[in-house]
Amino acid sequence: MTVDDANAGGGAAHTPHHVVDHTAEPTDDPLAIRLEQLILGADRRYTPFQAARTAGVSMELASRFWRAMGFADIGQAKALTEADVLALRRLAGLVEAGLLSEPMAVQVARSTGQTTARLAEWQIDSFLEGLTEPPEPGMTRTEVTYPLVELLLPELEEFLVYVWRRQLAAATGRVVQAADDEEMVDRRLAVGFADLVGFTRLTRRLEEEELGELVESFETTCADLVAAHGGRLIKTLGDEVLYCADDSGTAAEIALRLIETLSDDETMPALRVGIAFGTVTTRMGDVFGTTVNLASRLTSIAPKDTVLVDGAFAEELTRTGEAPVSETQAAEEAARAEKEGETPPAYRFALQPMWQRPVRGLGVVEPWQLGRRPT
């Protein structure tokens, strides 16, 4: 719940284009107010100006924090609580103590706001909405919603904190294992895109509910496979997912598992995957850079049910012994091992060079088709 900068005596500021206002304007609806009080655990007490003054924070900084968290401008309505004051005080205190710079504190507010806003929207749209259907004829949604939220709130809150701590522990572990400070931000990773083929045409044939179920099934399957095999899901874009992995073998296994799993599902369109390996810049849980762009371009030129990788990824697979340099080399190694009574190298993956081709914005690339070697 942000304020207009005009109320702070400055010029009007616009909400940045990448921030979505997720919090509705204050309402006088009795049930909405009761639910708000239940969820926030406090009554409305302050206007934005009063909250900023009580927290000892300038109106300009308070407005930046609230806007970064994705809260809507509310003018000078009395709609803020003690929790809002405490949150301002904490963020400002981190800046005053020198633990965070002001831009970093705003970034923390923005990343937290965007992530939790999506979570809250999903919980309401896909979870609470279904559960609040009146269980008996004559009961209103109003009579069901409040007691349900009252029961769910503490459980969901504890679960959220648990998952966040687990994820924070995993992310911290990756940071402390980095070779140097630069690697913490600019890291060498395998980046993969998985894209449903013909999704646009599919949207014209399916009803909205059917399309929603397909997308949810696709995203769920991808998220489960990426996590189970040691990758990290960066984001989902309806018909496309972006994931990354610390090593090429993990990324390759995920890509082939995705193809194999979805090809067995008759309700799913064909899938194509592109993977690139190289330096990646990480910001706010997202990844950027030429490596990411190349993975996306490889996906766009991949045939259906096929995984295409770039030369750097192919080289990394061979360097780590996950794939042979060529099938000729693999055959020679197998023959030599058999002659000497030894076990031949066990390669998991096969690489087949494809024709060079121009890729928009990245010049000419030579993709490789990734597959499994027969066991």
Side-chain angles (χ1 to χ4, degrees):
M1 282 163 268
T2 56
V3 293
D4 278 318
D5 285 357
N7 291 321
H14 299 291
T15 301
H17 71 278
H18 56 281
V19 175
V20 179
D21 290 335
H22 295 285
T23 302
E25 296 289 338
T27 176
D28 293 327
D29 181 88
L31 175 62
I33 292 176
R34 287 182 62 215
L35 283 170
E36 179 187 280
Q37 290 172 342
L38 171 65
I39 294 170
L40 298 180
D43 297 334
R44 297 177 177 182
R45 182 174 176 182
Y46 303 101
T47 66
F49 180 79
Q50 292 169 337
R53 183 176 59 183
T54 304
V57 176
S58 70
M59 278 296 299
E60 180 181 0
L61 184 58
S63 181
R64 289 186 65 197
F65 282 152
W66 282 322
R67 189 168 285 123
M69 284 184 272
F71 298 153
D73 292 333
I74 59 169
Q76 285 304 319
K78 183 175 285 189
L80 303 184
T81 71
E82 289 289 349
D84 297 294
V85 172
L86 181 59
L88 281 179
R89 195 174 289 151
R90 281 175 171 162
L91 278 174
L94 292 173
V95 174
E96 291 172 4
L99 295 173
L100 294 178
S101 66
E102 187 172 309
M104 180 58 70
V106 172
Q107 190 178 65
V108 167
R110 178 167 292 117
S111 62
T112 305
Q114 290 179 351
T115 302
T116 54
R118 185 181 181 191
L119 174 63
E121 290 287 350
W122 181 89
Q123 288 174 332
I124 293 299
D125 291 343
S126 304
F127 185 45
L128 292 179
E129 186 173 309
L131 289 179
T132 53
E133 291 294 334
E136 297 179 11
M139 290 188 68
T140 66
R141 184 176 292 263
T142 299
E143 292 173 318
V144 177
T145 302
Y146 189 93
L148 180 62
V149 171
E150 191 173 27
L151 289 171
L152 284 174
L153 185 62
E155 302 300 327
L156 291 177
E157 182 178 15
E158 288 191 13
F159 185 70
L160 173 62
V161 173
Y162 156 73
V163 175
W164 170 72
R165 285 181 177 272
R166 269 289 179 185
Q167 294 287 5
L168 187 63
T172 303
R174 291 192 293 269
V175 168
V176 298
Q177 292 176 38
D180 50 46
D181 288 345
E182 288 186 5
E183 189 180 331
M184 291 167 58
V185 177
D186 297 312
R187 308 168 58 191
R188 287 178 61 77
L189 297 173
V191 178
F193 273 95
D195 177 53
L196 291 175
V197 179
F199 184 76
T200 302
R201 292 192 301 273
L202 197 62
T203 60
R204 302 191 189 105
R205 300 204 317 263
L206 296 181
E207 298 291 336
E208 288 185 5
E209 185 174 347
E210 293 176 309
L211 188 63
E213 290 175 354
L214 184 144
V215 168
E216 184 174 357
S217 177
F218 169 64
E219 292 183 349
T220 300
T221 300
C222 291
D224 288 348
L225 286 172
V226 170
H229 294 282
R232 296 189 297 283
L233 186 68
I234 302 300
K235 59 186 172 185
T236 59
L237 304 169
D239 62 330
E240 188 175 61
V241 299
L242 169 61
Y243 72 91
C244 67
D246 294 327
D247 63 90
S248 56
T250 297
E253 182 65 29
I254 290 170
L256 293 173
R257 291 273 182 172
L258 288 172
I259 295 287
E260 293 160 359
T261 301
L262 292 179
S263 63
D264 288 338
D265 187 342
E266 296 180 354
T267 66
M268 282 289 172
L271 189 71
R272 55 190 177 185
V273 183
I275 316 176
F277 185 85
T279 302
V280 174
T281 299
T282 59
R283 290 287 188 278
M284 292 176 63
D286 208 342
V287 291
F288 308 92
T290 302
T291 302
V292 180
N293 295 337
L294 179 54
S296 177
R297 298 290 187 270
L298 287 170
T299 306
S300 67
I301 63 174
K304 66 178 182 179
D305 291 330
T306 299
V307 182
L308 290 187
V309 305
D310 74 327
F313 186 89
E315 182 179 337
E316 187 68 12
L317 271 185
T318 59
R319 184 188 70 80
T320 57
E322 298 277 13
V325 173
S326 67
E327 289 304 310
T328 300
Q329 180 208 43
E332 291 175 350
E333 290 174 342
R336 188 183 310 114
E338 183 179 2
K339 182 179 179 180
E340 297 177 359
E342 299 177 352
T343 303
Y347 297 113
R348 286 201 293 162
F349 307 110
L351 291 165
Q352 178 182 343
M354 309 289 285
W355 291 105
Q356 290 186 349
R357 64 191 72 187
V359 174
R360 180 168 53 89
L362 296 171
V364 177
V365 299
E366 181 180 357
W368 297 69
Q369 183 172 329
L370 176 73
R372 290 195 188 282
R373 286 183 58 78
T375 56

